[in-house]
Amino acid sequence: MQPNYALDDAEWNKLISDAAYYFDDLTLKRGFQYYKQNRVQTFSISEPRKMRAMVEGRENYGVYINLDNFPGNYCDCPVNEPCKHIAAVLMYYADAQKRSVASLANAKAVVSRPKAAAASAEVPAGTGSRSALVKKLGGLIPGGTVAQWREYLQLLTSPLAHTVRNPQYADRALAAIAEAKPQLSPAAGMLFKLHAHLFILENLLRPNLPAAAAPVLGYSLGYYTAVAVSELQAAVTRLMNTTLPLAEEPGEWQRVKDTLSYLRQEMLTEARDRSRDQPYFSACYELLWRKWIAPNTDGAALYSEELDALRQEGQELGAAHSRQSLLLAESRMYYLLSDDRAAWELLRKTAERPGIYPDELMSFLIPLAEAGHWSRLTSWLAEIGPLLTSRLYNLSDYAGYWKEAVRRLPETEPLMWDTLSGMLPISREIYEDLLLDYGKWQDWMDYQLSSGKAPSDFRVSDLQPLEKNAPELLLPFYHQAVERFVVEKNRHSYKAAVKLMKRLAKLYKKLKREERWEEFLEAFTSRNSRLRALQEELRKGKLIP
């Protein structure tokens, strides 16, 4: 397992200060976007406070960071100063350290903000009356319904109603709610905490409306609001990944069903666009079923009831509901009922228009892998693969599920190759990697040649598996590239050709075909004898005397 080298508080505060000093605010914002888009790849920490990563941009850029020498941090992109790629890696690192990514993204504001402001809370005149109200509400919460909880949350956070919606607002709202200190059982406490986060999430998404107002479709979040929403949803995910003890507290089922009713309406009326972020309430709805409801129910009755509720809600909302959200939720119920064909049919209809987020499809795979249902998992992998059409989505998790399924059921390997080849060019990266992982050297080379790739498109390390296991396959690949370089007829291309020819010489020697190499070199030199610059480069490379 890779070492983590945890940051202490002093080191974290220094990182925040360094980020505020060396980056401008726009670069931090762009770095945050790259981090959110999962563009940071192959992250590693070689020793304390030193890390490397590859970041996907217009090209793949290598990043090296030494936290003890910030000016010496390096990215091989064209920007000659701290860039968004370095910022994205730092935010990836902060997340791995369980630190606030938002604080790093807002380093300028965090460093300049007075410490007292973060701790202060706006309260109306008359501190005594406010304290009495908080105490009273804290006593009412244990016996309240979900609807009453939301009313209490509105009262507890009312002093913050007119403040700017940013990460500080979310922190202060949660602190105001925690001040009530309701005495709740474990399951009730988790449900109340969930509703506290959902209430604040709703206020971040619809800041100028009362809680009961209809959703604002198409509302565009500001940058700092988006950061707050991202952090809040991460907190919701962590909470719902914890088991809800309903078996010990069956009396909490009514609150679970009320929570489901609330999320159902929010999910169906939530805007869907082409953004890279999964719709907020849709994610919560999915987690509620997968993490809290499904593990606590045995029969199919609850899933059938939800299908009826979804359809009824869709009819009542009319044009205000999202057809994609409805189809996706219905497919999830058929999935839970093990009616996969019905689920797949609805998913195909859902994917006919942009707006379905890849993680919503991937969420169907997680329970199957966890339960070891490998045959069913392979069927789902084959079905959702063609629906993963976003070029910006990282398919490494999808490839990982295929590898594990094939390991368990080797006879499903042909289905994996058929699916991945059918997904090209979207699946290009994972397809190439899996061909190498499975030792399909000829297939890998055929794909590169058919795609018009050249050796210069790869790092030397990328081609090392072939040089070791199937060096003969690289001969036509390198020869073809050499001829292309020569046709360009410039000094730079001649140098590239000679560099590649030196690798060819090593391959011929490894294959014990030195005579063939000498024949080629002699013919090549003679054929291009009029190209003086090429001849000079061949001499410099010590290929000819």
Side-chain angles (χ1 to χ4, degrees):
M1 185 175 67
Q2 191 180 100
N4 189 39
Y5 300 120
L7 282 179
D8 60 30
D9 290 343
E11 291 170 327
W12 170 243
N13 290 332
K14 183 180 185 300
L15 177 56
I16 294 288
S17 298
D18 286 341
Y21 181 81
Y22 288 102
F23 290 96
D24 59 59
D25 199 51
L26 181 59
T27 300
L28 288 172
K29 289 179 182 179
R30 289 175 174 170
F32 177 79
Q33 290 174 342
Y34 268 42
Y35 157 77
K36 285 291 292 176
Q37 292 163 5
N38 296 317
R39 291 176 180 256
V40 179
Q41 305 294 323
T42 63
F43 176 87
S44 64
I45 302 177
S46 57
E47 53 186 291
R49 302 176 63 74
K50 294 181 181 179
M51 64 203 77
R52 297 179 184 274
M54 189 71 68
V55 180
E56 298 176 357
R58 292 184 179 179
E59 300 176 10
N60 288 339
Y61 298 116
V63 173
Y64 170 77
I65 293 174
N66 181 350
L67 296 179
D68 293 323
N69 181 23
F70 223 89
N73 291 341
Y74 171 77
C75 175
D76 58 13
C77 73
V79 179
N80 294 319
E81 57 186 19
C83 62
K84 59 189 175 184
H85 309 109
I86 294 176
V89 174
L90 288 172
M91 291 173 199
Y92 185 99
Y93 175 65
D95 184 39
Q97 293 286 330
K98 308 299 182 186
R99 297 285 183 169
S100 170
V101 175
S103 295
L104 196 56
N106 297 321
K108 296 282 189 183
V110 170
V111 170
S112 62
R113 187 177 67 242
K115 292 184 179 180
S120 66
E122 296 182 12
V123 296
T127 305
S129 60
R130 170 70 183 165
S131 178
L133 174 63
V134 169
K135 185 176 181 180
K136 179 180 179 181
L137 293 178
L140 294 173
I141 288 171
T145 64
V146 165
Q148 290 171 332
W149 277 359
R150 292 182 60 78
E151 293 176 5
Y152 302 153
L153 291 169
Q154 181 72 34
L155 291 171
L156 287 168
T157 59
S158 58
L160 304 173
H162 301 292
T163 58
V164 176
R165 298 308 195 252
N166 57 19
Q168 289 70 47
Y169 162 80
D171 291 342
R172 293 165 69 186
L174 287 171
I177 294 168
E179 188 183 356
K181 298 179 182 177
Q183 297 298 314
L184 295 167
S185 63
M190 293 175 68
L191 285 165
F192 180 74
K193 187 174 181 180
L194 172 63
H195 277 280
H197 283 74
L198 292 175
F199 176 82
I200 298 168
L201 178 63
E202 187 178 332
N203 277 274
L204 288 167
L205 296 173
R206 299 196 291 272
N208 297 318
L209 296 177
V216 180
L217 298 181
Y219 171 71
S220 179
L221 297 180
Y223 171 73
Y224 293 107
T225 304
V227 171
V229 167
S230 177
E231 286 219 323
L232 201 62
Q233 192 154 24
V236 169
T237 301
R238 288 193 297 271
L239 171 64
M240 299 186 79
N241 276 323
T242 305
T243 303
L244 184 69
L246 278 177
E248 293 80 6
E249 299 180 51
E252 292 302 319
W253 263 109
Q254 185 56 53
R255 282 174 172 158
V256 171
K257 291 181 178 180
D258 291 344
T259 303
L260 177 60
S261 178
Y262 163 75
L263 282 175
R264 183 190 308 123
Q265 183 176 33
E266 294 292 332
M267 175 267 300
L268 289 176
T269 55
E270 189 171 25
R272 283 182 174 270
D273 54 30
R274 301 189 184 199
S275 69
R276 299 181 185 180
D277 290 325
Q278 181 176 356
Y280 311 108
F281 290 103
S282 173
C284 296
Y285 176 85
E286 185 272 326
L287 283 169
L288 182 66
W289 276 104
R290 178 159 57 91
K291 292 295 187 178
W292 283 6
I293 297 180
N296 284 294
T297 183
D298 296 325
L302 199 56
Y303 308 139
S304 298
E305 289 175 11
E306 181 63 9
L307 274 172
D308 293 337
L310 284 165
R311 291 162 184 161
Q312 182 178 348
E313 190 91 32
Q315 290 176 356
E316 292 176 355
L317 290 169
H321 85 278
S322 164
R323 182 173 181 270
Q324 282 180 301
S325 295
L326 178 60
L327 291 172
L328 184 63
E330 287 179 343
S331 70
R332 197 170 301 284
M333 293 307 107
Y334 281 115
Y335 164 84
L336 291 170
L337 286 165
S338 296
D339 188 348
D340 289 343
R341 293 192 179 278
W344 295 338
E345 182 179 354
L346 291 172
L347 281 178
R348 292 187 203 108
K349 291 180 180 179
T350 308
E352 288 174 357
R353 295 179 58 189
I356 185 169
Y357 186 68
D359 274 350
E360 294 181 296
L361 296 171
M362 295 294 292
S363 66
F364 288 92
L365 307 179
I366 299 172
L368 299 178
E370 291 176 346
H373 296 161
W374 307 112
S375 180
R376 191 180 176 199
L377 176 63
T378 57
S379 298
W380 272 90
L381 285 164
E383 285 293 329
I384 72 168
L387 306 182
L388 295 167
T389 57
S390 173
R391 292 179 178 273
L392 300 173
Y393 186 73
N394 189 324
L395 291 173
S396 59
D397 288 342
Y398 178 75
Y401 283 120
W402 264 122
K403 289 178 69 174
E404 186 61 21
V406 169
R407 187 177 74 84
R408 305 281 184 159
L409 300 175
E411 65 273 17
T412 62
E413 185 178 337
L415 179 61
M416 177 180 74
W417 297 121
D418 288 345
T419 303
L420 294 177
S421 61
M423 292 168 61
L424 291 169
I426 296 294
S427 62
R428 178 183 62 81
E429 289 187 9
I430 61 170
Y431 182 59
E432 291 178 355
D433 290 343
L434 287 173
L435 286 173
L436 293 177
D437 288 345
Y438 283 80
K440 293 185 174 293
W441 317 116
Q442 183 67 62
D443 292 337
W444 186 90
M445 182 53 65
D446 289 345
Y447 178 68
Q448 306 310 326
L449 292 171
S450 66
S451 301
K453 291 292 186 68
S456 57
D457 295 323
F458 302 92
R459 296 185 296 265
V460 174
S461 58
D462 294 333
L463 299 174
Q464 282 177 347
L466 265 79
E467 290 188 355
K468 178 180 179 182
N469 297 283
E472 67 280 359
L473 296 179
L474 287 171
L475 295 178
F477 193 41
Y478 286 176
H479 275 293
Q480 185 183 77
V482 167
E483 297 300 336
R484 286 177 181 171
F485 283 133
V486 173
V487 168
E488 293 179 18
K489 293 186 178 180
N490 61 67
R491 180 73 69 168
H492 177 75
S493 66
Y494 293 156
K495 289 181 178 179
V498 169
K499 184 177 180 180
L500 200 52
M501 288 175 69
K502 293 173 77 172
R503 289 168 67 180
L504 264 173
K506 292 180 180 179
L507 281 180
Y508 275 106
K509 184 176 181 180
K510 181 175 183 178
L511 292 167
K512 298 180 179 179
R513 299 180 186 175
E514 289 91 339
E515 291 184 4
R516 293 285 299 274
W517 164 249
E518 294 297 338
E519 290 174 4
F520 162 74
L521 182 60
E522 182 179 352
F524 177 85
T525 305
S526 175
R527 187 171 70 251
N528 297 293
S529 59
R530 294 185 179 182
L531 301 177
R532 294 183 179 179
L534 175 59
Q535 298 290 325
E536 289 176 8
E537 294 300 328
L538 289 170
R539 293 189 186 93
K540 288 180 182 178
K542 298 182 180 179
L543 291 176
I544 62 175

